[in-house]
Amino acid sequence: MFFRGLLATGLMAIVLSLIAVVVNRPAIENDLSSRLSTVYSAFGNDWARISVEGRDVSLTGKAPIMAEKQAALDAARRIYGVRVVNDRLETNPPVSPYTWSVSKDGKVLTLGGHVPSTEMRANIRDVSKKLYGDMEIKDAMKLADGAPEEDWKQALDFALQTVDYLGKGAVKISDSVVTIEGEAADVSSYNKIAEAFRGGPEAPDGFILASRVELPQMSPYVWSIEHVGRKVTLSGHVPSIDAHGEIVSRVRERFPRAEISDKMKLASGEPAAWDETIVYAINQLKKLRSGKVSLKDNVISISGEAADNPSYDSLMTAPVPDEISLKPAIYRPAALPYEWAAVWNGKRLDMTGYLPSKELRAKALKLVAAAFPGADSLDRTELASGEPENLQGRIAFALDQLKQLKMGSVTISNKVITLAGEAPDKAVLDKLRAAQPPSGAEFKIELEQPEGAGDAGTAAMSAAGLKADAAAISPYLWTARRIGNEIVLSGHVPSAEARSGLAELTARLFSGARIEDLTEIGAGAPKGWLKAARLALQQLVRIENGRVRLKDRTLSLRGQTYLASGREQLDALVKSGLPEGFDGTADISVKAAGAEMQYEQCQELVNRIISLARITFETGKASLTREGLGRLDRVAYTLRRCPAARIEIGGHTDSDGDEASNMRLSQDRADRVKKALVAAGIAAERMSSKGYGETSPIGGNDSAEDKARNRRIEFKLER
């Protein structure tokens, strides 16, 4: 009975327990499901489906990665009260290719692609917030298996660092390839990207790096090239590293001796005709003595001074690349000092010097025709910039004064108008002295009234007890006048032979000049007159815009010299260097120093000086002739205007004589020129002298003319 009672009691307990289980099962299942859901929610598991039967848990769904599946199973097994966990979970297959990305658009940073674990995902978010705390960060990453074996985290860190260099774009990882694409934030960032993706120290090991980043778009797109002295400066933007290299290479080719300052930066946004436009710009700059060529989008601007007049014409007419418009601010080569002159010999008017345009040249010729109706005229002006204000008005005034002279010249040099020559009488002389020039100009007159002759002279001779001769001239006048590149001989000479000899001497002394011989033969020349006249002509070589005059036995010099030493030597000549029985006076001023120039301009002027008249020496010697010394004055004056230039003085001979002797002679002559220039105030350390002998002829050695051309001094200027 006892056991029966015990059995009955046990069965009752079991029944009661079963009843309790059945009664409490829903609550148990709900509790287990709730607790497991809470755990899954805590670590972001939103893919597992939970089914509870009693205390048995079944899990279904697709885990993104194997690790997540295992974590879900382990979490379920750790729940108190769970008896059995039935694994019905699936997993996604490994992703291939395995990708991840970070993109930047303004103030938004988006994380996308795949990550191999929740820990790494959280770490990526934390690092992103630390690096880009001022940006909105969007997380679009997904868990997936299949990450490459390489150091994935190192690649992620590299991507998060380099995306900062983008204005807009993304860094993507696909398996073991890291690619950056988009637009760089700026040129500096573009360069940093280029360095990083060339395999810099921060690059991830084992990954292939690729960059498809565009330069930042620049608007407006600007580029320029400037040439001043021996320096060429490149500035602005270029579309690629290759384009940068091509530009520098082309500039070195076109300006081989220039110092190149490269300030170009990379940027996109260049005009469609970029390559053609750059070639055009560099070629145009070569035609400028100094200046700048600038590109702004589709507009190219050229400013500066043309190297010469043909270059100016070419600059203004060269075809511009398609779709590019031109804004020129080009001026002709500047003339310093800026001079214009008109020479009137009583029959013909010659116009020389500079004018700024063809239009003003045409107007000046009309003014000449109006002032000198019926007279012949010759226009030898050159076009150049640097003209004084109201040049047309000053020319009109100058011609109005010149037409009142028997012969003479008028010169406009910057703001000074100078009238020189012979007035027909005192009334005209007084009128000219009272003339008022245009506003801003100064008017100087260097006029002489013609000396009387004829009866008065004969009467004077009779009063002195001399035999009067109807053919004798008294006072006996002869004048050689130099205005610019014009030499006018006037007055009387004692014979045809004297006239011919003086004409030949003038042609030799002033080779390249225009010579007008208006002299007449007349008796009355004093003894020694021809020697004095020849000496006077030799002095005129050193005088600019002036004259030498013999009046009986008195030589008078008037005009300007280029150097103070020239004036001193002329003063000494008239005091003690004249033939016996002659005396003299010198009214000589020193030409004002010219404005400084670039060495290229000096080279051009020096070449012009020695092309008109060579530096000459005594035959077979290194001694400068009087005319050679006079021409050297002008060279020295010009060299003073480019104090930074270094000068090589080259001596050359013809092929007469033996080669060694010619080499010595050419060196001696170059040394002598250097010594003369030092005496003229050119620093010795600026100059070197070199003899070339007969090794560099500029003509044949078969004729006297060619040999004369080969006997020369040359000047090469460098900075």
Side-chain angles (χ1 to χ4, degrees):
M1 289 294 293
F2 172 78
F3 288 106
R4 184 181 295 169
L6 183 60
L7 179 60
T9 301
L11 289 173
M12 183 60 70
I14 291 171
V15 170
L16 291 173
S17 295
L18 289 172
I19 292 170
V21 168
V22 171
V23 172
N24 293 323
R25 180 172 178 169
I28 293 171
E29 291 175 347
N30 288 338
D31 175 60
L32 293 176
S33 179
S34 175
R35 283 188 287 147
L36 186 54
S37 294
T38 300
V39 171
Y40 283 174
S41 178
F43 63 79
N45 184 336
D46 58 357
W47 47 266
R49 302 291 178 264
I50 303 169
S51 175
V52 181
E53 293 184 7
R55 290 187 296 117
D56 295 345
V57 176
S58 296
L59 298 177
T60 59
K62 184 174 286 187
I65 57 176
M66 185 61 71
E68 288 290 297
K69 173 184 176 179
Q70 191 60 49
L73 292 172
D74 291 344
R77 289 170 182 147
R78 287 195 295 268
I79 296 296
Y80 177 76
V82 172
R83 186 177 67 86
V84 175
V85 176
N86 297 312
D87 177 10
R88 297 189 179 93
L89 294 172
E90 298 178 3
T91 57
N92 287 324
V95 173
S96 181
Y98 200 85
T99 62
W100 180 88
S101 67
V102 54
S103 62
K104 183 180 180 184
D105 187 356
K107 285 291 186 179
V108 178
L109 193 75
T110 301
L111 307 171
H114 306 104
V115 288
S117 69
T118 54
E119 292 80 10
M120 183 169 285
R121 181 177 187 174
N123 178 262
I124 291 171
R125 285 197 301 264
D126 291 343
V127 171
S128 299
K129 290 176 181 177
K130 183 177 180 180
L131 292 175
Y132 305 101
D134 60 338
M135 298 181 67
E136 177 187 354
I137 297 176
K138 293 183 177 180
D139 181 3
M141 296 180 289
K142 297 179 180 180
L143 294 170
D145 287 325
E149 296 180 359
E150 289 80 8
D151 190 342
W152 180 257
K153 184 178 183 304
Q154 187 186 14
L156 292 173
D157 290 342
F158 177 75
L160 287 170
Q161 292 285 345
T162 53
V163 76
D164 187 41
Y165 302 143
L166 294 174
K168 182 178 181 180
V171 183
K172 299 178 180 179
I173 303 174
S174 180
D175 290 337
S176 58
V177 177
V178 182
T179 303
I180 188 168
E181 57 188 27
E183 181 181 309
D186 50 42
V187 173
S188 175
S189 296
Y190 180 89
N191 292 332
K192 290 177 181 177
I193 290 170
E195 181 180 358
F197 277 75
R198 279 196 297 265
E202 303 300 323
D205 296 332
F207 283 79
I208 298 170
L209 306 179
S211 174
R212 290 195 287 270
V213 174
E214 296 179 358
L215 287 161
Q217 289 280 333
M218 299 303 298
S219 182
Y221 198 88
V222 297
W223 176 87
S224 67
I225 179 170
E226 184 174 18
H227 182 206
V228 178
R230 293 191 63 186
K231 186 174 183 179
V232 174
T233 302
L234 296 163
S235 304
H237 305 112
V238 290
S240 68
I241 294 174
D242 288 344
H244 180 281
E246 289 172 4
I247 290 172
V248 173
S249 177
R250 185 175 292 274
V251 171
R252 291 193 188 282
E253 178 183 337
R254 297 293 282 157
F255 299 88
R257 304 177 71 178
E259 172 193 347
I260 297 176
S261 174
D262 180 6
K263 300 179 181 179
M264 295 184 292
K265 298 180 180 180
L266 298 173
S268 61
E270 72 278 8
W274 168 261
D275 292 337
E276 185 181 356
T277 302
I278 293 303
V279 172
Y280 168 84
I282 295 172
N283 288 342
Q284 297 306 90
L285 184 70
K286 185 64 177 177
K287 301 172 187 176
L288 297 175
R289 176 173 284 122
S290 62
K292 186 176 184 179
V293 182
S294 303
L295 175 67
K296 184 177 181 181
D297 291 334
N298 291 318
V299 178
I300 196 162
S301 301
I302 304 177
S303 60
E305 179 185 347
D308 48 41
N309 281 315
S311 295
Y312 175 87
D313 294 336
S314 176
L315 282 161
M316 299 302 292
T317 58
V320 181
D322 292 341
E323 301 181 12
I324 298 293
S325 59
L326 175 64
K327 286 188 176 180
I330 308 163
Y331 50 95
R332 293 184 182 274
L336 295 171
Y338 200 95
E339 294 184 344
W340 173 92
V343 178
W344 171 240
N345 64 13
K347 298 178 181 179
R348 187 190 67 246
L349 185 133
D350 288 0
M351 188 168 64
T352 61
Y354 302 104
L355 290 169
S357 66
K358 295 177 181 178
E359 292 75 17
L360 186 53
R361 175 186 279 165
K363 292 177 181 178
L365 289 172
K366 287 183 178 180
L367 291 172
V368 168
F372 298 87
D376 293 334
S377 64
L378 178 64
D379 173 28
R380 293 188 289 120
T381 56
E382 299 178 30
L383 297 177
S385 63
E387 72 278 7
E389 64 180 21
N390 189 23
L391 181 57
Q392 181 178 341
R394 296 181 185 189
I395 290 174
F397 171 82
L399 292 172
D400 282 344
Q401 312 317 307
L402 181 62
K403 71 182 182 182
Q404 301 179 59
L405 302 184
K406 292 177 61 178
M407 64 174 60
S409 66
V410 64
T411 302
I412 300 174
S413 181
N414 294 325
K415 68 177 183 178
V416 179
I417 303 172
T418 303
L419 183 68
E422 294 183 0
D425 52 47
K426 186 176 183 302
V428 171
L429 188 60
D430 291 341
K431 179 182 177 183
L432 290 170
R433 285 172 175 163
Q436 294 298 313
S439 176
E442 298 177 13
F443 184 41
K444 293 173 60 178
I445 59 173
E446 298 176 354
L447 298 174
E448 296 171 302
Q449 191 173 335
E451 301 282 350
D455 293 341
T458 303
M461 294 174 66
S462 299
L466 300 175
K467 181 180 179 181
D469 186 338
I473 306 298
S474 181
Y476 202 85
L477 291 173
W478 172 86
T479 302
R481 189 179 302 279
R482 182 181 188 182
I483 302 295
N485 201 37
E486 176 98 4
I487 307 296
V488 179
L489 305 176
S490 61
H492 293 92
V493 294
S495 65
E497 292 78 12
R499 181 180 185 181
S500 175
L502 290 174
E504 289 178 4
L505 177 60
T506 303
R508 179 167 63 83
L509 293 174
F510 302 95
S511 58
R514 182 178 180 84
I515 300 171
E516 186 78 15
D517 188 353
L518 304 177
T519 56
E520 298 178 0
I521 298 172
K527 183 180 179 181
W529 181 92
L530 184 57
K531 182 178 180 181
R534 292 178 65 87
L535 182 62
L537 273 175
Q538 290 172 333
Q539 309 320 305
L540 188 61
V541 173
R542 307 194 76 171
I543 297 174
E544 178 76 5
N545 291 335
R547 56 95 175 134
V548 294
R549 168 172 288 176
L550 275 173
K551 179 182 177 183
D552 292 332
R553 291 182 175 275
T554 299
L555 171 64
S556 61
L557 311 178
R558 190 172 190 175
Q560 291 182 316
T561 59
Y562 285 100
L563 305 173
S565 58
R567 179 179 63 182
E568 292 167 1
Q569 291 168 16
L570 291 174
D571 285 340
L573 174 82
V574 298
K575 290 178 181 177
S576 59
L578 297 178
E580 184 178 355
F582 284 78
D583 59 15
T585 62
D587 180 11
I588 301 295
S589 61
V590 179
K591 190 176 179 70
E596 283 195 15
M597 299 186 296
Q598 298 293 330
Y599 82 97
E600 298 98 334
Q601 293 172 289
C602 274
Q603 181 74 75
E604 185 178 328
L605 283 179
V606 169
N607 289 347
R608 186 183 302 174
I609 292 167
I610 60 178
S611 69
L612 292 174
R614 294 179 298 111
I615 308 297
T616 53
F617 299 83
E618 301 293 343
T619 303
K621 300 179 181 179
S623 302
L624 284 160
T625 61
R626 288 182 183 271
E627 55 267 29
L629 193 59
R631 291 160 190 160
L632 207 53
D633 286 351
R634 190 169 183 181
V635 171
Y637 177 83
T638 302
L639 294 178
R640 284 181 171 183
R641 299 175 64 184
C642 44
R646 299 190 63 81
I647 307 140
E648 182 197 89
I649 304 163
H652 301 265
T653 68
D654 59 28
S655 61
D656 288 352
D658 66 84
E659 187 174 342
S661 296
N662 285 335
M663 187 64 73
R664 284 194 301 272
L665 179 60
S666 66
Q667 184 65 56
D668 290 345
R669 287 180 170 178
D671 291 342
R672 180 65 186 87
V673 169
K674 179 180 177 181
K675 184 177 180 181
L677 289 175
V678 170
I682 308 300
E685 57 269 22
R686 290 179 56 196
M687 297 183 288
S688 62
S689 55
K690 183 176 181 180
Y692 291 89
E694 59 188 73
T695 61
S696 300
I698 56 175
N701 278 291
D702 302 324
S703 67
E705 288 183 359
D706 283 342
K707 289 179 180 180
R709 291 176 61 211
N710 290 332
R711 297 190 299 270
R712 67 196 189 279
I713 291 290
E714 291 183 340
F715 300 88
K716 294 181 181 179
L717 277 64
E718 294 183 351
R719 189 169 181 177

